[in-house]
């Protein structure tokens, strides 16, 4: 697997009590953020510090 570092990509992750949400953005040259991905998943629970999604 190849991983290419890109300093222009940022990710936000919200682990709540009922859902897990993620937002992926790209920082544009003028400083604005372009949202390129988003997703949510219901959270079933925690088992031994592991998320059950």
């Amino acid at each position: 697997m190849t991983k290419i570092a890109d300093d222009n990509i940022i990710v936000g992750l919200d682990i709540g009590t009922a859902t897990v949400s993620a937002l992926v953005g790209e920082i544009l040259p003028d400083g604005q953020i372009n949202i390129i991905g988003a997703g949510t998943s219901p959270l079933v629970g925690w088992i031994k510090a592991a998320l059950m999604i």
Side-chain angles (χ1 to χ4, degrees):
M1 182 169 87
T2 303
K3 181 178 178 183
I4 300 172
D6 190 353
D7 293 336
N8 296 334
I9 301 294
I10 56 174
V11 177
L13 182 64
D14 178 31
I15 302 173
T17 57
T19 60
V20 176
S21 302
L23 191 64
V24 181
E26 173 185 25
I27 302 174
L28 301 176
D30 63 358
Q32 292 186 344
I33 298 174
N34 181 36
I35 304 300
I36 58 176
T40 61
S41 179
L43 180 62
V44 176
W46 294 83
I47 295 178
K48 296 183 182 177
L51 292 174
M52 301 303 293
I53 298 175

